[in-house]
Amino acid sequence: KGGGGNFGVVTRFRLRLHPIPPKIFAGQRVHMPLGGWFKNRSFLIQKFASVTVESKDNKAGGLLVLPCAGPVVEMLLYVDDPEVGKKYFAKHRKEIGWPISDNMKPRSYHNEIQKFAPF
Protein backbone atom coordinates (compact mmCIF):
# COMPACT_ATOMS: atom_id res chain seq x y z
CA LYS A 1 0.00 0.00 0.00
CA GLY A 2 1.08 3.52 -0.63
CA GLY A 3 4.68 4.08 -1.44
CA GLY A 4 4.70 7.85 -1.49
CA GLY A 5 7.98 9.68 -1.30
CA ASN A 6 8.09 10.03 -5.10
CA PHE A 7 9.79 6.66 -5.44
CA GLY A 8 10.35 5.39 -8.97
CA VAL A 9 12.49 2.98 -10.96
CA VAL A 10 14.15 3.95 -14.24
CA THR A 11 13.79 1.14 -16.75
CA ARG A 12 14.98 2.96 -19.85
CA PHE A 13 17.20 5.98 -20.53
CA ARG A 14 17.91 7.63 -23.87
CA LEU A 15 20.80 10.05 -24.29
CA ARG A 16 21.24 12.16 -27.40
CA LEU A 17 24.65 13.67 -28.11
CA HIS A 18 25.20 16.76 -30.22
CA PRO A 19 28.46 17.90 -31.82
CA ILE A 20 30.15 20.83 -30.09
CA PRO A 21 32.48 23.13 -32.04
CA PRO A 22 35.97 23.85 -30.68
CA LYS A 23 34.97 27.46 -29.88
CA ILE A 24 31.68 28.84 -28.58
CA PHE A 25 30.53 32.37 -27.68
CA ALA A 26 30.15 32.63 -23.90
CA GLY A 27 30.74 34.73 -20.82
CA GLN A 28 28.96 36.85 -18.30
CA ARG A 29 27.43 40.28 -18.17
CA VAL A 30 27.13 42.15 -14.89
CA HIS A 31 24.41 44.81 -14.60
CA MET A 32 23.61 47.48 -12.04
CA PRO A 33 21.35 46.39 -9.17
CA LEU A 34 17.62 46.37 -9.85
CA GLY A 35 15.83 49.69 -9.62
CA GLY A 36 17.76 51.89 -12.07
CA TRP A 37 17.63 50.71 -15.67
CA PHE A 38 15.50 47.70 -14.75
CA LYS A 39 12.07 48.79 -13.63
CA ASN A 40 11.34 45.40 -12.06
CA ARG A 41 12.42 41.78 -11.97
CA SER A 42 9.74 40.59 -14.38
CA PHE A 43 11.11 42.86 -17.15
CA LEU A 44 14.61 41.44 -16.76
CA ILE A 45 13.44 37.83 -16.47
CA GLN A 46 11.23 38.17 -19.56
CA LYS A 47 14.07 39.61 -21.66
CA PHE A 48 16.51 36.95 -20.45
CA ALA A 49 14.03 34.14 -21.12
CA SER A 50 13.35 35.44 -24.64
CA VAL A 51 16.95 34.75 -25.71
CA THR A 52 17.43 31.52 -23.76
CA VAL A 53 14.59 29.14 -22.83
CA GLU A 54 11.91 30.68 -25.08
CA SER A 55 14.18 31.08 -28.09
CA LYS A 56 13.55 29.11 -31.26
CA ASP A 57 17.34 28.84 -31.56
CA ASN A 58 18.24 25.90 -29.31
CA LYS A 59 21.94 26.77 -29.41
CA ALA A 60 21.57 29.54 -26.80
CA GLY A 61 21.40 29.10 -23.05
CA GLY A 62 22.24 30.76 -19.82
CA LEU A 63 21.83 31.36 -16.13
CA LEU A 64 20.44 34.50 -14.52
CA VAL A 65 21.46 35.48 -10.98
CA LEU A 66 19.10 37.99 -9.31
CA PRO A 67 20.28 38.71 -5.77
CA CYS A 68 18.15 40.69 -3.33
CA ALA A 69 20.79 43.42 -3.42
CA GLY A 70 23.85 43.94 -5.56
CA PRO A 71 24.53 43.47 -9.24
CA VAL A 72 22.52 41.25 -11.58
CA VAL A 73 24.58 38.63 -13.43
CA GLU A 74 23.75 36.95 -16.74
CA MET A 75 25.85 33.93 -17.72
CA LEU A 76 25.23 33.26 -21.39
CA LEU A 77 26.48 30.85 -24.03
CA TYR A 78 25.89 30.11 -27.67
CA VAL A 79 27.06 26.70 -28.86
CA ASP A 80 27.94 27.33 -32.50
CA ASP A 81 30.19 29.62 -34.51
CA PRO A 82 31.28 32.44 -32.13
CA GLU A 83 30.49 35.15 -34.73
CA VAL A 84 26.91 33.89 -35.01
CA GLY A 85 26.65 33.90 -31.20
CA LYS A 86 28.00 37.44 -30.97
CA LYS A 87 25.34 38.68 -33.39
CA TYR A 88 22.64 36.67 -31.62
CA PHE A 89 23.30 38.28 -28.21
CA ALA A 90 23.99 41.80 -29.58
CA LYS A 91 20.27 42.64 -29.86
CA HIS A 92 19.66 41.34 -26.32
CA ARG A 93 22.41 43.58 -24.98
CA LYS A 94 20.73 46.65 -26.48
CA GLU A 95 17.31 45.69 -25.06
CA ILE A 96 18.62 45.01 -21.56
CA GLY A 97 20.97 47.99 -21.36
CA TRP A 98 24.70 48.42 -21.20
CA PRO A 99 26.30 46.25 -18.52
CA ILE A 100 28.92 47.35 -16.01
CA SER A 101 31.05 44.43 -17.17
CA ASP A 102 30.82 42.25 -20.27
CA ASN A 103 33.34 39.48 -20.88
CA MET A 104 31.41 37.70 -23.66
CA LYS A 105 33.87 36.33 -26.22
CA PRO A 106 34.85 33.19 -28.16
CA ARG A 107 35.90 30.49 -25.69
CA SER A 108 36.67 26.80 -25.51
CA TYR A 109 33.55 24.86 -24.46
CA HIS A 110 35.73 22.35 -22.62
CA ASN A 111 37.44 25.08 -20.55
CA GLU A 112 34.09 26.69 -19.66
CA ILE A 113 32.58 23.39 -18.49
CA GLN A 114 35.66 22.68 -16.35
CA LYS A 115 34.73 25.69 -14.19
CA PHE A 116 31.56 23.90 -13.08
CA ALA A 117 32.82 20.31 -12.94
CA PRO A 118 36.61 20.27 -12.57
CA PHE A 119 37.00 16.49 -12.78
Side-chain angles (χ1 to χ4, degrees), residues 3 6 11 17 27 31 44 48 52 62-64 66 70 74 85 91 93 96 99 101 113 119:
N6 293 324
T11 61
L17 300 176
H31 301 276
L44 181 58
F48 177 80
T52 56
L63 173 69
L64 181 63
L66 288 162
E74 291 182 287
K91 180 182 176 195
R93 180 179 173 153
I96 290 295
S101 170
I113 289 301
F119 301 67

Side-chain angles (χ1 to χ4, degrees), residues 89-110:
F89 284 123
K91 180 182 176 195
H92 173 64
R93 180 179 173 153
K94 289 177 186 174
E95 289 176 347
I96 290 295
W98 300 102
I100 303 168
S101 170
D102 183 347
N103 70 0
M104 300 285 292
K105 64 182 181 180
R107 300 169 184 270
S108 161
Y109 178 80
H110 178 73

Side-chain angles (χ1 to χ4, degrees), residues 30-109:
V30 180
H31 301 276
M32 293 296 288
L34 292 171
W37 177 269
F38 307 116
K39 302 301 178 217
N40 57 50
R41 288 178 184 268
S42 60
F43 169 79
L44 181 58
I45 292 167
Q46 186 267 329
K47 292 297 183 185
F48 177 80
S50 72
V51 294
T52 56
V53 292
E54 295 173 355
S55 171
K56 291 182 178 18
D57 190 337
N58 64 359
K59 296 176 182 177
L63 173 69
L64 181 63
V65 180
L66 288 162
C68 292
V72 174
V73 180
E74 291 182 287
M75 291 180 235
L76 301 163
L77 70 102
Y78 193 87
V79 183
D80 200 352
D81 176 21
E83 286 303 312
V84 175
K86 184 176 183 178
K87 289 176 187 172
Y88 180 81
F89 284 123
K91 180 182 176 195
H92 173 64
R93 180 179 173 153
K94 289 177 186 174
E95 289 176 347
I96 290 295
W98 300 102
I100 303 168
S101 170
D102 183 347
N103 70 0
M104 300 285 292
K105 64 182 181 180
R107 300 169 184 270
S108 161
Y109 178 80

